PDB file of all heavy atoms in Angstrom:
ATOM      1  N   PRO A 254      -9.622   7.242 -11.962  1.00  0.00           N
ATOM      2  CA  PRO A 254     -10.987   7.491 -12.139  1.00  0.00           C
ATOM      3  C   PRO A 254     -11.935   6.274 -12.305  1.00  0.00           C
ATOM      4  O   PRO A 254     -13.080   6.382 -12.655  1.00  0.00           O
ATOM      5  CB  PRO A 254     -11.010   8.259 -13.455  1.00  0.00           C
ATOM      6  CG  PRO A 254      -9.843   7.736 -14.235  1.00  0.00           C
ATOM      7  CD  PRO A 254      -8.776   7.466 -13.176  1.00  0.00           C
ATOM      8  N   ILE A 255     -11.364   5.183 -11.880  1.00  0.00           N
ATOM      9  CA  ILE A 255     -12.034   3.851 -11.978  1.00  0.00           C
ATOM     10  C   ILE A 255     -12.035   3.349 -10.501  1.00  0.00           C
ATOM     11  O   ILE A 255     -11.164   3.576  -9.724  1.00  0.00           O
ATOM     12  CB  ILE A 255     -11.221   2.859 -12.868  1.00  0.00           C
ATOM     13  CG1 ILE A 255     -11.056   3.417 -14.272  1.00  0.00           C
ATOM     14  CG2 ILE A 255     -11.901   1.505 -12.895  1.00  0.00           C
ATOM     15  CD1 ILE A 255     -10.028   2.711 -15.052  1.00  0.00           C
ATOM     16  N   ALA A 361     -23.013   3.564 -12.480  1.00  0.00           N
ATOM     17  CA  ALA A 361     -22.729   4.726 -13.366  1.00  0.00           C
ATOM     18  C   ALA A 361     -21.276   5.152 -13.146  1.00  0.00           C
ATOM     19  O   ALA A 361     -20.927   5.660 -12.052  1.00  0.00           O
ATOM     20  CB  ALA A 361     -23.643   5.919 -13.022  1.00  0.00           C
ATOM     21  N   PRO A 362     -20.407   4.931 -14.120  1.00  0.00           N
ATOM     22  CA  PRO A 362     -19.042   5.256 -13.922  1.00  0.00           C
ATOM     23  C   PRO A 362     -18.675   6.681 -13.687  1.00  0.00           C
ATOM     24  O   PRO A 362     -17.686   6.970 -12.914  1.00  0.00           O
ATOM     25  CB  PRO A 362     -18.401   4.730 -15.230  1.00  0.00           C
ATOM     26  CG  PRO A 362     -19.492   4.718 -16.255  1.00  0.00           C
ATOM     27  CD  PRO A 362     -20.736   4.387 -15.465  1.00  0.00           C
ATOM     28  N   ILE A 363     -19.416   7.637 -14.266  1.00  0.00           N
ATOM     29  CA  ILE A 363     -19.164   9.033 -13.945  1.00  0.00           C
ATOM     30  C   ILE A 363     -19.493   9.413 -12.590  1.00  0.00           C
ATOM     31  O   ILE A 363     -18.794  10.178 -11.862  1.00  0.00           O
ATOM     32  CB  ILE A 363     -19.880   9.976 -14.962  1.00  0.00           C
ATOM     33  CG1 ILE A 363     -19.323   9.716 -16.391  1.00  0.00           C
ATOM     34  CG2 ILE A 363     -19.788  11.389 -14.563  1.00  0.00           C
ATOM     35  CD1 ILE A 363     -19.993  10.499 -17.517  1.00  0.00           C
ATOM     36  N   THR A 364     -20.610   8.848 -12.066  1.00  0.00           N
ATOM     37  CA  THR A 364     -20.984   9.102 -10.607  1.00  0.00           C
ATOM     38  C   THR A 364     -19.799   8.560  -9.744  1.00  0.00           C
ATOM     39  O   THR A 364     -19.411   9.343  -8.745  1.00  0.00           O
ATOM     40  CB  THR A 364     -22.293   8.392 -10.249  1.00  0.00           C
ATOM     41  OG1 THR A 364     -23.294   8.835 -11.059  1.00  0.00           O
ATOM     42  CG2 THR A 364     -22.627   8.515  -8.777  1.00  0.00           C
ATOM     43  N   LEU A 365     -19.268   7.394  -9.963  1.00  0.00           N
ATOM     44  CA  LEU A 365     -18.236   6.892  -9.152  1.00  0.00           C
ATOM     45  C   LEU A 365     -16.928   7.695  -9.261  1.00  0.00           C
ATOM     46  O   LEU A 365     -16.251   8.102  -8.315  1.00  0.00           O
ATOM     47  CB  LEU A 365     -17.904   5.443  -9.559  1.00  0.00           C
ATOM     48  CG  LEU A 365     -19.059   4.402  -9.427  1.00  0.00           C
ATOM     49  CD1 LEU A 365     -18.497   3.002  -9.687  1.00  0.00           C
ATOM     50  CD2 LEU A 365     -19.612   4.436  -7.974  1.00  0.00           C
ATOM     51  N   GLU A 366     -16.654   8.194 -10.510  1.00  0.00           N
ATOM     52  CA  GLU A 366     -15.469   8.979 -10.735  1.00  0.00           C
ATOM     53  C   GLU A 366     -15.513  10.310  -9.970  1.00  0.00           C
ATOM     54  O   GLU A 366     -14.556  10.626  -9.261  1.00  0.00           O
ATOM     55  CB  GLU A 366     -15.314   9.303 -12.241  1.00  0.00           C
ATOM     56  CG  GLU A 366     -14.137  10.123 -12.524  1.00  0.00           C
ATOM     57  CD  GLU A 366     -13.974  10.405 -14.027  1.00  0.00           C
ATOM     58  OE1 GLU A 366     -14.774   9.890 -14.856  1.00  0.00           O
ATOM     59  OE2 GLU A 366     -13.112  11.260 -14.379  1.00  0.00           O
ATOM     60  N   VAL A 367     -16.628  11.050 -10.079  1.00  0.00           N
ATOM     61  CA  VAL A 367     -16.681  12.321  -9.434  1.00  0.00           C
ATOM     62  C   VAL A 367     -16.805  12.170  -7.902  1.00  0.00           C
ATOM     63  O   VAL A 367     -16.234  12.992  -7.127  1.00  0.00           O
ATOM     64  CB  VAL A 367     -17.884  13.245  -9.959  1.00  0.00           C
ATOM     65  CG1 VAL A 367     -17.643  13.461 -11.398  1.00  0.00           C
ATOM     66  CG2 VAL A 367     -19.190  12.594  -9.723  1.00  0.00           C
ATOM     67  N   THR A 368     -17.476  11.128  -7.425  1.00  0.00           N
ATOM     68  CA  THR A 368     -17.558  10.849  -6.040  1.00  0.00           C
ATOM     69  C   THR A 368     -16.206  10.603  -5.398  1.00  0.00           C
ATOM     70  O   THR A 368     -15.764  11.087  -4.391  1.00  0.00           O
ATOM     71  CB  THR A 368     -18.459   9.613  -5.673  1.00  0.00           C
ATOM     72  OG1 THR A 368     -19.772   9.988  -6.174  1.00  0.00           O
ATOM     73  CG2 THR A 368     -18.490   9.393  -4.246  1.00  0.00           C
ATOM     74  N   LYS A 369     -15.386   9.782  -6.124  1.00  0.00           N
ATOM     75  CA  LYS A 369     -14.047   9.456  -5.697  1.00  0.00           C
ATOM     76  C   LYS A 369     -13.159  10.673  -5.584  1.00  0.00           C
ATOM     77  O   LYS A 369     -12.439  10.920  -4.666  1.00  0.00           O
ATOM     78  CB  LYS A 369     -13.378   8.444  -6.671  1.00  0.00           C
ATOM     79  CG  LYS A 369     -13.735   6.997  -6.529  1.00  0.00           C
ATOM     80  CD  LYS A 369     -13.296   6.183  -7.655  1.00  0.00           C
ATOM     81  CE  LYS A 369     -11.838   6.347  -8.014  1.00  0.00           C
ATOM     82  NZ  LYS A 369     -10.931   5.489  -7.131  1.00  0.00           N
ATOM     83  N   GLU A 370     -13.257  11.552  -6.664  1.00  0.00           N
ATOM     84  CA  GLU A 370     -12.380  12.722  -6.710  1.00  0.00           C
ATOM     85  C   GLU A 370     -12.864  13.760  -5.614  1.00  0.00           C
ATOM     86  O   GLU A 370     -11.994  14.388  -5.070  1.00  0.00           O
ATOM     87  CB  GLU A 370     -12.475  13.315  -8.168  1.00  0.00           C
ATOM     88  CG  GLU A 370     -11.705  14.655  -8.342  1.00  0.00           C
ATOM     89  CD  GLU A 370     -10.231  14.441  -8.081  1.00  0.00           C
ATOM     90  OE1 GLU A 370      -9.711  13.250  -8.051  1.00  0.00           O
ATOM     91  OE2 GLU A 370      -9.487  15.474  -8.019  1.00  0.00           O
ATOM     92  N   ALA A 371     -14.137  13.874  -5.343  1.00  0.00           N
ATOM     93  CA  ALA A 371     -14.563  14.772  -4.304  1.00  0.00           C
ATOM     94  C   ALA A 371     -14.020  14.358  -2.929  1.00  0.00           C
ATOM     95  O   ALA A 371     -13.453  15.197  -2.195  1.00  0.00           O
ATOM     96  CB  ALA A 371     -16.090  14.791  -4.299  1.00  0.00           C
TER      97      ALA A 371
END
Side-chain angles (χ1 to χ4, degrees):
I255 303 165
I363 293 176
T364 299
L365 299 186
E366 179 181 354
V367 299
T368 300
K369 281 167 53 80
E370 178 61 13

